[in-house]
Amino acid sequence: MRPLCCSNPGATLSYLIGIGYFRRSVAMRKANLVVVALLASLAGAAAGENLLPEFTGEWANGGPYTTSGLKEKAVYLLLVERGCPHCASLWPALGQFAQEMADEPVLVVGVLPGASKNAAESYARANEIKVPLYADADRSFEQQLLAMNLLPKPISLQNTRQALVADGKGVLYRAMWSEPVQALKRVLTTARWKVPAAEVVEPLKPAWRAMEFGQLSVSAPLIAQALKARDEKVKSCAETLAKSVKTTIEALLAEAKAKAEAGEKWAAYKILMNVSNDYKDFPESKAAATEMSKLKTDKVVAREAQARTALDNIVTQMLKSPTPSKREQGKQYLQQLIQQFPDTEAAAQAKGLL
């Protein structure tokens, strides 16, 4: 990918637009998550709510998870300073707590500000941690929590641990790290399973949990395999899980169709794009690509897609080279995007990033 330090900013932006909206590397998907997180934070701020930030970094000991994948689930977050000599004693109890909550729509997550994925994995092994760890290497997750006044100060040896809970709508609340059960009482009523735990046979629990918590690429092959099982109970359960996914996809496709018919074609296109990406391992998602092609002929949709392509690529470059000079160059390209596509959603998002 061409670097942003090109001597001709106009040529660089043209190149960024021309890369292609459908070419999604890991870095591009991460950039997209940053943009999605920005939208969510702006919407939350407008509504006076503190929303769970997107997880744009890497995971250890489990995961990955996304904020959108955790919709209608409660989340318990424990942020810990790795250098704290006393914090290791927290993890056995937290692992036990997660196990006890296995049949509840709750995800228990440890967050390690400043830790790389490798460091988080080493920390998990050393402390025999049984819950997924989010490696907040650049502390961007922590910074968003600080901006929302959900943390008194950064996690450090002077502030070794903090807990938060998110309800089924993603709204965050402060919690007592020593009382996770009490913390979850206020949010559990807002969380739900798509398929009740009592209806899931033991062999399909991994596939079920992956589906419920948005790990669709993990759940898809497990469900597909179970659909061929000789055990009728396993096969029947797999059919229930597959039906749940199908129902979700069909609802999203119907929502996209309604928006397109109402003239909201860009909104419809984005829904279809998410279906095509998130549910790509399920056959029902193929219809989304067909409908996207039809919508792409609309001039407004094409222009929005162009601007979104440029924005995703600019953010990708800024994430790949997070030095002050590169970030400053990235800001210049964001400003140029705003000038070139002033009436687009991407321009509004670029203003937010600035």
Side-chain angles (χ1 to χ4, degrees):
M1 187 176 289
R2 186 177 299 181
L4 282 173
C5 56
C6 173
S7 60
N8 185 342
T12 301
L13 186 59
S14 297
Y15 174 78
L16 291 171
I17 293 170
I19 286 175
Y21 194 74
F22 299 103
R23 203 174 109 190
R24 295 276 175 183
S25 65
V26 172
M28 279 287 285
R29 288 194 293 273
K30 182 176 178 181
N32 186 250
L33 288 176
V34 172
V35 173
V36 169
L38 169 66
L39 278 178
S41 64
L42 291 175
E49 297 175 333
N50 293 321
L51 297 181
L52 179 66
E54 186 53 77
F55 298 103
T56 57
E58 296 185 288
W59 290 79
N61 217 42
Y65 298 96
T66 65
T67 299
S68 60
L70 296 175
K71 185 179 180 181
E72 297 186 322
K73 301 295 183 287
V75 184
Y76 178 85
L77 300 164
L78 181 65
L79 291 85
V80 172
E81 164 59 44
R82 285 180 298 142
C84 168
H86 307 294
C87 293
S89 61
L90 297 173
W91 299 110
L94 192 66
Q96 180 64 33
F97 171 66
Q99 187 175 352
E100 291 171 356
M101 300 297 291
D103 284 342
E104 298 291 342
V106 174
L107 182 68
V108 178
V109 175
V111 180
L112 301 180
S116 66
K117 180 180 180 179
N118 288 340
E121 288 174 341
S122 296
Y123 185 77
R125 287 193 298 270
N127 293 285
E128 299 182 352
I129 296 173
K130 305 299 182 183
V131 300
L133 295 177
Y134 177 60
D136 185 22
D138 61 359
R139 291 183 175 262
S140 58
F141 189 85
E142 177 193 55
Q143 288 166 12
Q144 291 180 75
L145 298 177
L146 287 165
M148 291 186 276
N149 294 317
L150 289 170
L151 298 179
K153 55 185 176 180
I155 298 298
S156 66
L157 289 174
Q158 286 71 49
N159 181 35
T160 59
R161 68 204 81 170
Q162 292 289 332
L164 301 169
V165 289
D167 68 14
K169 295 181 180 179
V171 179
L172 277 170
Y173 304 93
R174 291 183 179 180
M176 290 289 292
W177 62 264
S178 58
E179 298 179 6
V181 174
Q182 188 66 29
L184 282 169
K185 279 186 178 180
R186 69 181 300 178
V187 297
L188 262 181
T189 55
T190 67
R192 71 177 188 89
W193 294 120
K194 295 182 177 70
V195 177
E199 297 179 15
V200 183
V201 295
E202 196 62 35
L204 275 176
K205 284 290 180 73
W208 167 68
R209 288 188 64 84
M211 181 200 77
E212 291 281 359
F213 290 109
Q215 296 178 295
L216 298 169
S217 60
V218 174
S219 66
L222 298 176
I223 293 173
Q225 183 179 7
L227 287 170
K228 303 174 184 178
R230 293 182 179 180
D231 187 315
E232 286 300 320
K233 289 185 178 180
V234 171
K235 184 177 180 180
S236 177
C237 182
E239 290 171 348
T240 299
L241 298 183
K243 183 179 179 180
S244 175
V245 174
K246 181 180 179 181
T247 299
T248 300
I249 294 174
E250 289 176 345
L252 290 169
L253 293 176
E255 182 183 357
K257 181 180 179 181
K259 288 190 178 295
E261 291 175 347
E264 301 176 46
K265 293 184 178 181
W266 174 238
Y269 186 90
K270 290 188 294 179
I271 293 171
L272 294 169
M273 181 186 67
N274 289 336
V275 171
S276 183
N277 289 337
D278 296 346
Y279 294 89
K280 63 182 183 297
D281 298 304
F282 292 90
E284 293 83 3
S285 68
K286 293 179 180 178
T290 301
E291 296 303 316
M292 285 172 68
S293 298
K294 295 177 183 177
L295 287 174
K296 194 73 179 289
T297 62
D298 182 85
K299 290 183 179 179
V300 173
V301 172
R303 182 172 172 78
E304 289 281 3
Q306 268 193 314
R308 180 63 173 269
T309 299
L311 179 61
D312 282 355
N313 280 280
I314 291 168
V315 174
T316 298
Q317 291 285 17
M318 294 173 73
L319 290 170
K320 286 174 65 177
S321 305
T323 62
S325 62
K326 294 293 184 182
R327 287 186 180 275
E328 188 57 38
Q329 288 172 348
K331 289 181 181 179
Q332 294 175 15
Y333 295 122
L334 289 173
Q335 290 167 348
Q336 187 182 356
L337 183 151
I338 293 167
Q339 294 173 0
Q340 187 168 345
F341 300 97
D343 56 342
T344 63
E345 182 182 76
Q349 295 167 0
K351 290 177 183 177
L353 289 171
L354 288 170

